Amino acid sequence: MPHFKAPPKKSLGQHFLVDRGIIDMIVLAVDPKPGDRLVEIGPGQGAITLPLLRRHGELTAIEFDRDLVVPLSQAAQGVGTLTVIHKDVLQVNFTRLAGEDRLRLVGNLPYNLSSPILFHALDHAPVVRDMHFMLQKEVVDRMAAAPGSKVYGRLSVMLQAYCAVTALFDVPPAAFRPPPKVDSAVVRLVPHAADAIGIQDRARFADVVRAAFGQRRKTLRNALSGVCDVEQIEAAGLRPELRAEQVEVAAFVRLANQTSAPAVQ
Ligand code: SAM
């Protein structure tokens, strides 16, 4: 049996899953099929890695903690083919890693890095088939929220513009060692096909969404005053008296496209 001697590192968000029932639910949710290219972010001591490997036979795992790399590789011996990439996941080029394949990303993520990891994965969306991530429940609630919800905000719009977001199930602190202070949840993200997204200028879209939610209580007219004018808001089919939390994702896309600089002829 492998020896994971090093104590959990708080700085790396190490909360290891120990609840077999939850681990089984994650594997069932991923439901790997022959030929799938699985990539796990932050395998830790292998709580999800080894069951996935047992089921699928092959897996790539990206782990930043040097102390875990050798024991993890040892633990995988005789279970399946595990490739461990010892790197900060934010430095991993998923497009290069995918080659001709599309990746299925899985991970109980370090919570302090969850947003950067999500947006890093979305930068490589064409090669990402889907993602199953454990995150703070509060973050999953915001990711999956619909317009009108108290927690619908910038994160909801920025992710739902690029992916279908489904909150799958909640996970209590007792499922981890050491237990985190917050509840967790597992979420599935499936990137939309590139031609279904419709955003003409990603940076412009991000600017519009940031400004709209900059001050939640402000109307679009006021919140967007430095970004676009009332005519452009109306041309996107929106009433300027609305607040950002009432505006659906497709309307933000129309608004950003409406205000995109015209292409140079
Ligand atoms: N998957 C394991 C489990 O469920 O028990 C561990 C999950 S733990 C919440 C997060 C893992 O991500 C840790 O193993 C940690 O070392 C790793 N990690 C933290 N920052 C990372 C980074 N920048 N790149 C890759 N892995 C990272």
Side-chain angles (χ1 to χ4, degrees):
M1 274 306 281
H3 255 76
F4 291 95
K5 288 191 206 116
K9 297 181 178 126
K10 217 174 164 182
S11 62
L12 292 178
Q14 291 183 350
H15 296 277
F16 299 119
L17 254 178
V18 292
D19 185 315
R20 290 242 50 100
I22 298 291
I23 293 166
D24 289 347
M25 284 167 75
I26 294 172
V27 174
L28 271 178
V30 177
D31 191 20
K33 296 282 190 279
D36 285 356
R37 183 84 190 278
L38 295 186
V39 175
E40 188 186 0
I41 298 170
Q45 300 183 341
I48 310 171
T49 324
L50 298 174
L52 275 178
L53 205 53
R54 219 166 276 130
R55 164 117 181 227
H56 192 58
E58 197 167 354
L59 184 84
T60 299
I62 302 162
E63 176 56 63
F64 191 48
D65 185 353
R66 174 191 307 275
D67 293 339
L68 296 174
V69 172
V70 171
L72 190 62
S73 302
Q74 285 169 348
Q77 278 170 20
V79 182
T81 308
L82 177 67
T83 306
V84 184
I85 300 174
H86 174 218
K87 218 167 173 178
D88 173 359
V89 63
L90 298 176
Q91 304 304 320
V92 173
N93 183 328
F94 289 124
T95 303
R96 199 172 303 143
L97 181 65
E100 298 296 302
D101 297 327
R102 289 178 77 215
L103 307 179
R104 303 196 64 200
L105 302 180
V106 181
N108 170 14
L109 299 186
Y111 293 169
N112 55 337
L113 281 185
S114 54
S115 287
I117 293 173
L118 285 167
F119 286 103
H120 179 60
L122 284 184
D123 284 342
H124 297 269
V127 301
V128 176
R129 197 176 108 199
D130 61 14
M131 304 171 242
H132 290 83
F133 290 144
M134 173 98 72
L135 299 164
Q136 284 184 48
K137 176 174 161 43
E138 177 260 325
V139 174
V140 170
D141 288 345
R142 286 196 281 127
M143 288 164 64
S149 150
K150 271 204 197 101
V151 292
Y152 180 71
R154 187 170 153 220
L155 187 66
S156 331
V157 176
M158 289 305 295
L159 290 177
Q160 292 173 31
Y162 295 100
C163 308
V165 181
T166 312
L168 296 181
F169 51 88
D170 296 346
V171 181
F176 306 84
R177 292 284 178 279
K181 290 200 175 69
V182 293
D183 284 332
S184 303
V186 174
V187 64
R188 173 184 292 138
L189 299 105
V190 183
H192 300 312
D195 57 359
I197 295 172
I199 295 170
Q200 287 167 10
D201 178 338
R202 288 173 72 138
R204 180 69 181 166
F205 178 72
D207 286 348
V208 167
V209 175
R210 186 181 303 108
F213 285 103
Q215 285 155 299
R216 286 184 77 86
R217 304 308 302 169
K218 279 195 174 180
T219 60
L220 291 180
R221 177 199 301 271
N222 291 330
L224 293 172
S225 60
V227 181
C228 57
D229 56 32
V230 168
E231 285 71 35
Q232 289 172 316
I233 296 173
E234 287 173 342
L238 289 165
R239 284 184 293 115
E241 305 75 44
L242 289 175
R243 291 195 305 271
E245 65 208 41
Q246 300 167 287
V247 176
E248 60 178 26
V249 175
F252 277 113
V253 175
R254 284 200 305 276
L255 183 59
N257 289 348
Q258 187 70 34
T259 63
S260 291
V264 178
Q265 298 292 321

